């Protein structure tokens, strides 16, 4: 079926299709190949990228948070939510520019594909680990013990059927390269909402180092430390936020609250 899908498709032209300058090939090393259990392509994909980052989590552990038995699979929102409940930075992407830029930066990317036809969809999550323009190849870890290699045109067609949905899942001390500061701030705030205080604190610190002139990183860092019970650390972050933006009333109010509790 894969060969049939690609038979009449034009070759992928990076010069015409991309707005970023990328090398002709890139490969993310060290992403494990995990044989998925039935219907566990979503949890397996998350397990692969987390193991790549150094975790020892397995697909069954992820499935406890991500798998929906009634649906017989994992919803997109649960891919994001479970990654965050596991303390990871999770942001969506939806273009080839973003996908290939992340691969070039050494970050694997989870993608949502339909490997079937319109009348017989086969929805599937896989992990893109590399590309090669000269070889016309996209490399994926796709829940089997052998790597999947697709021509660009075939990969694009299967990914388009999934609305070009992709997910970058990284440890919170590493930032994606293809999304903006606002999206990363939102991801940090999402870690707070699921009480992942340590992950949120690390992500706010990482963002503050990248964008030191934005008071929101220190403000968020204070919130994460406060949520984790570190009042002195929260006060320190609020003082830094006030030094950056002395006229923000929320900073003054939170600082007063923390100092009263201390």
């Amino acid at each position: 079926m894969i060969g049939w899908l690609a038979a009449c498709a034009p070759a992928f032209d990076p010069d015409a299709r991309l707005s970023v300058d990328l090398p002709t090939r890139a490969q993310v090393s060290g992403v494990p190949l995990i044989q998925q259990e039935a219907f566990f392509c979503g949890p397996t994909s998350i397990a692969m990228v987390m193991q790549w980052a150094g975790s020892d989590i397995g697909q069954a552990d992820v499935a406890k948070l991500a798998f929906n038995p009634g649906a017989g699979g994992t919803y997109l929102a649960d891919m994001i939510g479970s990654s965050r409940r596991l303390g990871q930075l999770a942001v969506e992407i939806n273009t080839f520019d973003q996908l290939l830029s992340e691969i070039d930066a050494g970050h694997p990317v989870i993608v949502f594909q339909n490997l079937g036809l319109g009348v017989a969809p086969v929805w599937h999550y896989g992990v893109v680990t590399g590309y090669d323009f000269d070889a016309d190849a996209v490399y994926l870890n796709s829940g089997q013990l052998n790597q999947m290699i697709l021509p660009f045109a075939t990969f694009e067609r299967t990914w388009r059927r999934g609305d070009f949905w992709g997910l970058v899942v990284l440890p919170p001390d590493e930032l994606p390269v293809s999304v903006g500061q606002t999206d990363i701030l939102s991801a940090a705030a999402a870690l707070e909402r699921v009480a992942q205080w340590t992950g949120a604190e690390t992500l706010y610190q990482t963002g503050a180092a990248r964008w030191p002139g934005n008071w929101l990183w220190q403000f968020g860092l204070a919130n994460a430390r406060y949520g984790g019970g570190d009042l002195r650390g929260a006060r320190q972050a609020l003082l830094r936020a006030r030094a950056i933006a002395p006229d923000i009333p929320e900073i003054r109010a939170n600082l007063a609250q923390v100092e009263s509790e201390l």
Side-chain angles (χ1 to χ4, degrees):
M1 181 180 295
I2 293 296
W4 182 84
L5 288 172
C8 299
F12 185 85
D13 182 355
D15 292 330
R17 299 295 304 279
L18 301 176
S19 61
V20 291
D21 186 20
L22 293 169
T24 58
R25 65 184 62 84
Q27 186 71 42
V28 182
S29 62
V31 183
L33 283 160
I34 299 176
Q35 178 88 49
Q36 74 168 68
E37 297 180 25
F39 308 112
F40 275 13
C41 61
T44 302
S45 295
I46 294 172
M48 284 191 281
V49 298
M50 288 188 64
Q51 287 185 22
W52 161 81
S55 171
D56 60 358
I57 196 166
Q59 60 181 298
D61 300 314
V62 181
K64 294 174 184 176
L65 299 173
F67 182 69
N68 187 306
T74 302
Y75 291 115
L76 301 179
D78 289 332
M79 292 290 288
I80 302 168
S82 61
S83 298
R84 290 170 174 170
R85 289 194 293 275
L86 290 166
Q88 303 299 289
L89 184 166
V91 291
E92 294 179 70
I93 58 111
N94 56 18
T95 69
F96 266 108
D97 279 358
Q98 292 177 301
L99 172 66
L100 301 184
S101 293
E102 293 297 339
I103 299 302
D104 180 48
H107 302 153
V109 180
I110 298 171
V111 292
F112 184 55
Q113 301 168 275
N114 178 359
L115 300 177
L117 300 173
V119 294
V122 179
W123 299 108
H124 186 69
Y125 295 101
V127 180
V128 178
T129 63
Y131 70 86
D132 189 326
F133 295 142
D134 294 336
D136 187 27
V138 178
Y139 303 93
L140 300 99
N141 289 12
S142 199
Q144 302 298 324
L145 293 179
N146 57 302
Q147 190 175 59
M148 177 183 284
I149 304 174
L150 297 179
F152 263 93
T154 306
F155 171 77
E156 179 177 21
R157 186 170 297 185
T158 61
W159 193 30
R160 180 189 297 117
R161 291 173 179 156
D163 292 329
F164 294 109
W165 185 90
L167 186 67
V168 181
V169 177
L170 295 171
D173 60 353
E174 187 163 356
L175 299 179
V177 298
S178 68
V179 300
Q181 180 178 187
T182 299
D183 289 335
I184 300 173
L185 274 166
S186 295
L191 287 174
E192 287 185 62
R193 288 194 294 273
V194 295
Q196 283 288 342
W197 307 119
T198 299
E201 179 178 358
T202 300
L203 183 49
Y204 281 123
Q205 289 175 314
T206 307
R210 172 66 177 82
W211 294 286
N214 187 341
W215 63 273
L216 285 170
W217 292 105
Q218 296 295 341
F219 188 77
L221 176 59
N223 287 341
R225 287 175 171 173
Y226 183 88
D230 180 8
L231 295 182
R232 294 189 182 279
R235 179 179 182 274
Q236 184 180 50
L238 286 167
L239 289 172
R240 288 196 292 264
R242 189 179 66 178
I244 297 169
D247 298 326
I248 302 297
E250 291 83 358
I251 298 175
R252 297 197 299 269
N254 283 17
L255 182 57
Q257 174 67 29
V258 169
E259 289 183 332
S260 70
E261 292 187 35
L262 283 170

